[in-house]
Structures are given as structure tokens and as C-alpha cells.
Amino acid sequence: MGQAVMVKAGWRVVMTLATGMALLGAVACSPLGLGESATPPAEADVAPVSRDPNTLRLLYGRSVVTLNPHLATGYQDFEAARLSYEPLASHNQAGELIPFLAAEIPTEDNGGLSEDGTSVIWTLRRDVTWADGEPFTAEDVVFTFDFIRNPEVSAATAQFYDKVESVEALDDHRVKITFSSPTPAWDVPFTGQTGMILPQHHYADYNGLNAREAPANRQPVGTGPYQAIGFEPGTVIYEANPNHWDGRPAFRRVELQGGMAPYAAAREVLQRGSADFANNLQVEADALAALKPNALGEVSYLFGSQVERIMVNFANPFVRTEAGEQASPQVPHPYFSDWRVRQAINLAIDRDTIAKELYGPAGKPTAQLLVAPEEYRIPDLAYEYNLVKAKLLLEQAGWVDSDGDGVRDRNGVPLEVLFQASVNPVRQRTQTIVADSLKELGVGVQISRVRVDEFFSANPEHTNSLNHFYADMQIYSIGNESPDPTTYLSWWSCDKIASMANQWQEPNNARYCNPEYDRLLAEARAELDPDQRAALFRQMNEVLTTDVAVIPVVHRALVNAVSNRLAPVEFTPWDASTWNIKDWALAPAEPSATSSAN
């Protein structure tokens, strides 16, 4: 190994066998974010507010950065873009494909699917125009693919099109997708929130390094039910699209506000009635329950693919290579490279306490990363909380407390970890529960809280991001975007490691690399038999768990608050919560006592 340089992080210095060392910097730890508190404030009497019935108000924890879904910086951008843009189709809660811009779902019977799995033909609706009146055609689909695959664009959704070789317009209303090899995952490209179609006539001049300068990123012209007319930090204003192919939507205006702390957003919907919808409420179970009596709305729990997980870093996050790269696989982690240490950490995670005390009905303890669809789960893959076993593993690995300071060490190196998470009361309490158990093992723990917008940022300059991962452990939640989990499971493959070379845009932030896992992934990508493919997914799921490539903690429900003034809203785990916002409407008025009397 060439010369490596150590980096100091707070009170911790990790020693290496580098031939020359210098102190280069510190890993930043952000303070508690504005608008977020460790515990909810005491409730005062909250008076409901009067509302314009024609305005729909949506609340999110993060502020929208762009309305171009292929340049999305986080889930909030997909949610906001979904009002204006649409995919060819999307999966509903049951996993069934529902057409949007497509006239029908491709099958072998209608000639849409090739028998050998190498291509799919989508037939498009003929009654769709963009909001400016221009016709929507197959050329827009072709352009969207060109935009996504342009390396100068660096599209956030490019990984979902990895196996697409070409996209061809057969005529104005038919588009053929050809894959580089037979694939069963034909229904991933151009579906769901990663499949929204862009208007060629608004982006043709921005298909390159200037993609993020396109005016349409903030004022899109889409095919969707609502069109953005105002965009400023934290707020997007939409008006109904009168030309929408499914008819004018129910609301005249939509206001989307970001930057709301989850508890505050829940209160606005459930108690004040000032909003109709609050998204992704990671709020402690007791605090959320306190808002429910006499509430003006309901809390929706939808268990999909989301898993709150602890990532362990397989690279040393406090050493830089000669090229200046920090957390490089070229410099393995000084103790997480040892399975015994990773397994000891795994055995010290009290999943039952975390799920019960912090999540309540919104979380189930789990030991596996792939939890949906159900056929990919492993019923007998269990977790265990056992500090006795954990201590024994650490001793077997040579980690003992040689100086009696309460922290184990080996060869003069203390067993200490920097554990980072985004600012959120539930995550901070999770960090505390985990840290208490680790300290009992003799592991020193430093807690880092990172501002949400930095932690989840795709900006290469934001070194506190989860993909830079300049810490030993980090916790967050994510899951497969589609019922087909191939892309999701590829996030642990050797060729997806986040690095300086790819501007930290690849998703394997753990820097995990296992050739046996990659072999299973390659087989799953090509296997057309559903049963054989499911067996391969289960094997991969088991490898990630038993090798402690990641530590799954809680299977999380998508928790949304919905106003009682709305008719029932159907959510799906396979798209944005706003996926069917064209169908959102006011609940039918209850008949008055006078009109209902006989």
C-alpha cells in the first residue's frame, strides 16, 4: 500500500502503518438542526384553522431542491416532481402495474414482451399533451433515456437503466426498449418515481453539463395533474393542469412546504387542520399517539421495503490515500474488516427495545435487508441481542481492556467508533440505545448528528453525506424502489462502491466487496424463472445478514398523516406518496341533520 495519511476525528485518532502521517482535518459534527427538538414541546390548546377548500397543502421534512426527478437530491424532490411529471406506469400497493402515460401494460399476448426477455414495446396514450399544449410522443421517451444516460448529466436515476442498451421510437406512440441481455426486470425503466418522462422541447438544450441550469428544473412543463407556478426555498406552488389527460384534478391549487420537523408537520394535520398531508413521519410512537385523540385526520401505516439499518464502514474513514481519497477500500478498516467485530456489534443491537419504544406500530424488528415483496423474505433469519456472546467474540479477536479505562484495545489501538446519523429525535434516541450497549461491551462511542440536508446530499462537496461516510457507523432508512429488488441489491456489489473517482455518486457507501455476492447478483439479473430468481434473492439477503455487510434494525412503515377532509388516499411503497395525486379529492360532505330527517 502506498503512503497513507491519518485524519483526526474529535477525540479519536486511528493509527496506521503508513510510512508518513500528517493531521489533515476533522470530521465535522453538526449541531441539532433548527426546527427539530429532542422531545416534542408540551401541547397548548390548539385551535383548528379555517382553510380554502380548493387548496391542497402538503408538508415534508426536507425542502425541495429541484423538480427534475432525474436530478433529484432526495425523496422530497421525487415527491414534488410527481405532481407535474408522470411515468409510463407505476406499481400500486399490491405490486400491480398501473398505466399512466402508457395505453396498456405490455404482455406477451399483446406483443409487448419478447419471449427471450431482451426487449419490451410500450404503447403510449394518444390523448396526452404537455401542459403547454405540445403533443407527448415516443420521442420524449427516447430523449429522457438519452438524458439519463448522458454521463455529463450525472442523473440520479441512471442506475435503474443500467441494463438498457437502446430506446427506439417505432412511431409516435410506440417505443421499444432493448436490453443488453435477457432481463426479467423489464418493468423497472420508465416506471415509478425513477421513470418520469421529460419534455424534449424543454430540455434539448440542457442535455449536458448545463442540465442543472435548465429553467424547467424549477418551473416544469409536464403531463401531470398539477403544474408548478412558483418555486422558492422551502415552498412550491402548483395550479391545476386543465389539459390533463384524466381530466382537471379536484383542487385548484397545491402548496408544498418543506423543512418541517416531523412532529410539527403531524400536528399541523392532526390538530390544527392547517394542512392535508404530512409525509414520512419518523416521530416517536408516544409523541405521535398524543396527537391522535380528537384528531382532524388519520395516521396511515404502510409497510413496504423500508429498513432502518446501521451501516458499518469496511474502509478506514480517518485515513487518506496518496491520491487524497478518504475512506478508500485501499485502506481497510482497522477492525470492521474482522467479521468477529462486526458480529459483536450486531449482537449488541437491541432491536426489540428500539422497535417497541421508538416506533410502536410503525416498526418491526428485523434481521434482514430485503423485506418486500414477501416472497423474498427468509422466515427463519432471526436476530439476537446477546452481550455475553458479543464480549466473547471481541476477546477471541484480541480486543481486551488492557489498561482498565473501560475501552477495549489491541496493539495500542482503542476500540472506538464514530456513529453518525441525520438530525432526528428517533435517530438520536436510537444512537443512544446502541451506544449504551456498545459501551457495556467496552467499545468507546462518539455520537455525530448531521444536518438532514447535508447527510442526504448528493453534492460531492458535502463531506458529511452518507455516501462520503467519514465515520465508522451510520444509520438511515431506505429500501427497494420497485417490487423487483435487483437494483437495490446491486448497492452492495464491488462495482458500486462510492469513491472519489465517481464523485461519491455510487450507492455502496459501506465499501463492501464480496465476489460470491457479486456472482449471485449476476445470476439473478439473468434468471428468467421467477422461482429460481426468488431463491437467488433470498441467498443474497442471507449473505448480507450473515456476513454482517449491514445491520438491519427495524422494518419501517411509511407513516403519513392525512386530513379527514380528504377522501381515502391510496399509497404505495413502490412510488412517491403523490403517485396518484390526480385522484385526490375532498371527502363527500356528510348530510346535515335537517336534510337527512324523514
Side-chain angles (χ1 to χ4, degrees):
M1 183 178 71
Q3 184 184 55
V5 183
M6 71 177 181
V7 179
K8 185 176 180 181
W11 45 261
R12 176 180 171 206
V13 178
V14 177
M15 303 299 296
T16 72
L17 299 178
T19 56
M21 296 183 179
L23 184 63
L24 292 182
V27 174
C29 174
S30 297
L32 201 65
L34 296 176
E36 193 86 61
S37 58
T39 55
E43 289 298 327
D45 290 336
V46 179
V49 299
S50 58
R51 297 280 310 285
D52 175 2
N54 294 311
T55 296
L56 182 68
R57 189 159 180 253
L58 317 176
L59 304 180
Y60 288 84
R62 296 174 61 190
S63 296
V64 176
V65 175
T66 178
L67 294 175
N68 183 333
H70 302 293
L71 304 179
T73 65
Y75 74 89
Q76 78 288 350
D77 293 342
F78 287 114
E79 291 274 339
R82 199 65 174 81
L83 276 73
S84 296
Y85 290 124
E86 297 169 306
L88 299 186
S90 191
H91 293 89
N92 65 10
Q93 190 176 136
E96 302 163 329
L97 264 183
I98 306 299
F100 277 79
L101 296 179
E104 60 184 0
I105 301 302
T107 65
E108 288 188 16
D109 290 341
N110 64 23
L113 292 181
S114 65
E115 292 184 7
D116 61 1
T118 59
S119 67
V120 58
I121 295 174
W122 287 89
T123 300
L124 310 180
R125 298 181 64 98
R126 294 175 176 269
D127 56 350
V128 179
T129 62
W130 297 100
D132 60 4
E134 289 293 315
F136 161 71
T137 72
E139 292 295 343
D140 293 302
V141 182
V142 173
F143 172 80
T144 299
F145 174 71
D146 292 341
F147 183 90
I148 292 169
R149 288 293 292 269
N150 187 341
E152 292 185 346
V153 170
S154 296
T157 53
Q159 61 186 311
F160 298 96
Y161 299 80
D162 276 353
K163 298 306 174 184
V164 178
E165 185 174 277
S166 65
V167 178
E168 174 189 4
L170 301 180
D171 54 41
D172 281 351
H173 298 99
R174 288 188 306 149
V175 61
K176 181 179 181 180
I177 302 171
T178 302
F179 301 98
S180 56
S181 59
T183 177
W186 62 268
D187 59 347
V188 172
F190 303 113
T191 66
Q193 64 182 14
T194 60
M196 290 181 251
I197 310 301
L198 300 178
Q200 180 179 17
H201 62 294
H202 280 274
Y203 276 101
D205 293 335
Y206 297 92
N207 186 13
L209 295 174
N210 63 346
R212 285 160 180 79
E213 301 170 9
N217 293 342
R218 288 176 170 255
Q219 200 158 358
V221 176
T223 60
Y226 295 97
Q227 298 302 307
I229 60 169
F231 188 116
E232 60 185 42
T235 304
V236 185
I237 305 298
Y238 304 81
E239 283 188 351
N241 176 7
N243 299 319
H244 189 246
W245 53 269
D246 200 31
R248 179 186 287 270
F251 297 95
R252 185 182 66 239
R253 178 184 175 97
V254 179
E255 298 175 358
L256 188 153
Q257 181 178 345
M260 290 283 291
Y263 180 82
R267 184 178 55 198
E268 292 301 302
V269 174
L270 299 176
Q271 291 201 329
R272 297 193 71 233
S274 66
D276 300 293
F277 171 77
N279 176 257
N280 193 27
L281 300 176
Q282 192 176 20
V283 178
E284 290 183 39
D286 290 346
L288 194 57
L291 296 176
K292 292 181 180 179
N294 304 313
L296 301 174
E298 301 290 336
V299 177
S300 165
Y301 299 94
L302 175 61
F303 281 95
S305 64
Q306 296 285 311
V307 173
E308 189 85 0
R309 80 282 307 278
I310 293 173
M311 305 296 293
V312 293
N313 206 334
F314 282 76
N316 192 325
F318 308 110
V319 171
R320 285 180 177 165
T321 65
E322 284 184 315
E325 181 168 5
Q326 195 172 333
S328 166
Q330 296 177 35
V331 187
H333 197 282
Y335 29 91
F336 283 160
S337 299
D338 188 333
W339 176 87
R340 293 168 296 185
V341 178
R342 301 197 304 274
Q343 178 64 358
I345 301 295
N346 185 31
L347 288 167
I349 307 302
D350 190 355
R351 294 169 172 84
D352 288 332
T353 295
I354 293 169
K356 181 179 179 181
E357 293 188 3
L358 305 187
Y359 288 89
K364 304 172 184 177
T366 186
Q368 52 193 303
L369 199 71
L370 183 57
V371 294
E374 185 68 28
E375 59 264 30
Y376 303 143
R377 292 174 60 90
I378 305 172
D380 56 353
L381 192 60
Y383 59 88
E384 183 179 9
Y385 178 60
N386 192 320
L387 297 183
V388 174
K389 284 185 179 180
K391 291 177 181 178
L392 181 60
L393 281 171
L394 292 178
E395 289 166 6
Q396 290 173 351
W399 294 94
V400 296
D401 184 5
S402 64
D403 54 10
D405 67 350
V407 177
R408 294 173 184 268
D409 57 86
R410 188 182 68 179
N411 300 327
V413 177
L415 186 57
E416 298 171 331
V417 297
L418 178 63
F419 184 17
Q420 72 177 14
S422 60
V423 172
N424 175 282
V426 174
R427 290 210 169 102
Q428 268 68 81
R429 283 202 61 191
T430 302
Q431 285 178 298
T432 298
I433 292 171
V434 171
D436 287 346
S437 291
L438 294 184
K439 289 173 183 176
E440 191 172 338
L441 286 185
V443 179
V445 182
Q446 182 183 13
I447 297 297
S448 172
R449 300 173 180 177
V450 182
R451 291 181 67 91
V452 172
D453 288 344
E454 291 182 37
F455 186 79
F456 292 104
S457 173
N459 187 334
E461 296 181 2
H462 289 171
T463 57
N464 284 338
S465 76
L466 61 85
N467 266 13
H468 282 80
F469 196 4
Y470 295 162
D472 303 286
M473 298 164 51
Q474 63 183 359
I475 186 167
Y476 59 91
S477 177
I478 201 168
N480 38 309
E481 302 274 353
S482 163
D484 187 291
T486 310
T487 300
Y488 175 59
L489 291 174
S490 74
W491 294 353
W492 280 265
S493 62
C494 300
D495 64 349
K496 293 293 184 181
I497 290 176
S499 67
M500 186 166 65
N502 56 49
Q503 292 291 286
W504 298 276
Q505 298 303 303
E506 294 290 0
N508 185 353
N509 54 54
R511 281 73 167 175
Y512 177 72
C513 184
N514 181 342
E516 172 61 17
Y517 181 83
D518 283 11
R519 182 187 65 79
L520 292 170
L521 175 63
E523 289 185 24
R525 278 176 165 157
E527 180 57 65
L528 298 179
D529 180 85
D531 293 335
Q532 292 295 324
R533 197 156 181 263
L536 288 166
F537 288 147
R538 287 192 291 269
Q539 287 182 61
M540 296 164 69
N541 198 10
E542 186 169 14
V543 167
L544 293 175
T545 296
T546 56
D547 200 25
V548 199
V550 58
I551 303 175
V553 180
V554 175
H555 179 193
R556 277 184 56 189
L558 172 64
V559 182
N560 294 326
V562 183
S563 171
N564 285 339
R565 83 183 192 113
L566 296 184
V569 175
E570 178 191 346
F571 298 111
T572 175
W574 312 120
D575 200 341
S577 293
T578 51
W579 77 294
N580 63 346
I581 199 165
K582 66 183 181 66
D583 300 323
W584 292 22
L586 291 173
E590 295 185 5
S592 64
T594 302
S595 62
S596 62
N598 290 324

